[in-house]
Amino acid sequence: MKNRLRVLRAEENWSQAELGMRVGVTRQAINAIENGKYDPGLPLAMKIARVFEKKVDDIFTLEDDD
Amino acid sequence: MSDKEQDTGLRALKRTTLVITAWAASYAVAMQILKHHATSAWVRGGAVALAVCGFLLWMAGTAKAIRRENEFTRQIHLVALACAMAVSVIFIFVCDLLQRAGFIDYVSLMTIFLVMTGAWLLAIMLASLYYR
């Protein structure tokens, strides 16, 4: 799964820790998501979408091999 | 770190310390009873029950602590448990074969338990490092 988390976070000028705090996870979790090591579950994906005021689809995109 | 997170972390640390202390105390008392007052089957049975209760308390406390974590941390614990399980099964399987082949003597259950626990802790560290 691809995501635009790093870009959106940069636009808001938030650190990984700050975004993590806003959605209730650690900085490591945000880093793992950004690097594609971890795909968030639906609740976390929705929380992330909410803080960026976007739809989940606008942030996370399924790839062919998913 | 916010005050709320710090409070939550401190509470979790207190709970963890409490259940580990309870487990260690129950185990130590049970061992003392089994060592020095091992005449009555009821007393020995009580000592075993005490140690098992202490262990169950620790397990429940640990499970509760993991359930309180966010989904990412739970994922790390899930991966770590799977790795620890795999290492334990391999260890038991290899030990069994080595025993049958006559290369090693009896491996105590406590050794297996320690290997499982060690593998679990190591797996938590490695999984955390992987996702860092």
Side-chain angles (χ1 to χ4, degrees), chain B residues 47-58:
Chain B
V48 171
L50 177 69
V52 170
C53 285
F55 187 72
L56 287 177
L57 188 68
W58 171 77

Side-chain angles (χ1 to χ4, degrees), chain A residues 24 29 31 37-38 40-41 44, chain B residues 5 70-72 75 130-132:
Chain A
N31 188 50
K37 283 184 176 176
Y38 175 65
L44 179 55
Chain B
E5 279 177 323
N70 61 65
E71 66 167 65
F72 175 72
Q75 166 88 4
Y130 173 76
Y131 284 114
R132 191 168 65 177

Side-chain angles (χ1 to χ4, degrees), chain B residues 22 25 28 32 43-45 49 64 69 80 83 85 101 103 115 121 125:
Chain B
Q32 284 302 311
V43 174
R44 280 184 281 129
K64 198 172 177 182
E69 293 287 353
C83 292
M85 176 75 185
F103 290 118
V115 167
L121 294 175
M125 284 193 283

